[in-house]
């Protein structure tokens, strides 16, 4: 019997707002533009590509080895589970260790959730040039 590869691929973060979420638990509505998400994704691998479990302390790091990290640039991809990958979304593929694989197979680990810091900026009004409509 061939051993399982323990490989998983998933959306690390989607570009733009999720229309299914009107307001976050903190009352805000934060998201990355495709351009800002690409910048974040491009710093992930060079900075070590560390993956932990359940947003826990540093001792949860090491249960996954990231082998792929990229921005989706093709047509929408319906994963068949209610998720559609769209242009600009960030995907991560990793090989899980036995502990993380068991959590994944049992449904206790269901996706990626990048940790990081940020600052909330006020929304910028969209200014259109009336001459552009002529």
């Amino acid at each position: 019997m061939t051993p399982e590869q323990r490989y998983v691929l998933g959306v690390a973060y989607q570009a733009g707002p999720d229309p299914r979420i009107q307001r976050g638990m903190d009352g805000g509505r934060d998201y990355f533009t495709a351009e800002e998400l690409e910048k974040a994704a491009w710093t992930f691998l060079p900075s070590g590509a560390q993956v932990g479990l359940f947003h826990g302390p540093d001792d949860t790091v090491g249960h996954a080895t990231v082998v792929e990290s990229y921005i989706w640039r093709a047509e929408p991809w319906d994963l068949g589970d209610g998720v559609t990958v769209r242009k600009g979304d960030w995907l991560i593929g990793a090989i899980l260790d036995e502990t993380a694989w068991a959590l994944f197979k049992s449904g206790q680990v269901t996706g990626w959730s990048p940790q990081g810091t940020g600052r909330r900026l006020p929304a910028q009004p969209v200014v259109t040039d009336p001459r552009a409509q002529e």
Side-chain angles (χ1 to χ4, degrees):
M1 180 173 178
T2 306
E4 295 177 297
Q5 288 183 318
R6 300 191 317 248
Y7 172 80
V8 294
L9 174 68
V11 176
Y13 208 97
Q14 75 176 37
D18 185 333
R20 300 172 298 175
I21 301 172
Q22 298 304 311
R23 185 183 318 187
M25 294 296 289
D26 64 356
R29 182 64 196 101
D30 302 323
Y31 59 88
F32 279 100
T33 64
E35 294 79 17
E36 291 299 317
L37 184 57
E38 182 176 72
K39 289 178 191 176
W42 285 358
T43 63
F44 178 66
L45 289 178
S47 66
Q50 296 295 309
V51 175
L53 293 172
F54 307 111
H55 292 278
D58 288 342
D59 64 351
T60 68
V61 170
H63 291 285
T65 302
V66 175
V67 295
E68 297 178 345
S69 173
Y70 55 93
I71 299 296
W72 184 254
R73 301 186 192 284
E75 294 303 313
W77 174 23
D78 183 351
L79 301 181
D81 60 356
V83 175
T84 299
V85 181
R86 302 190 190 287
K87 287 182 182 179
D89 290 352
W90 175 20
L91 288 94
I92 290 178
I95 298 172
L96 306 180
D97 71 1
E98 290 183 25
T99 300
W101 184 244
L103 291 168
F104 170 75
K105 286 177 64 173
S106 71
Q108 295 177 63
V109 169
T110 59
W112 304 112
S113 181
Q115 294 182 171
T117 59
R119 58 190 169 105
R120 190 171 280 155
L121 300 172
Q124 300 296 316
V126 176
V127 178
T128 59
D129 183 348
R131 295 171 293 175
Q133 297 177 3
E134 296 177 1

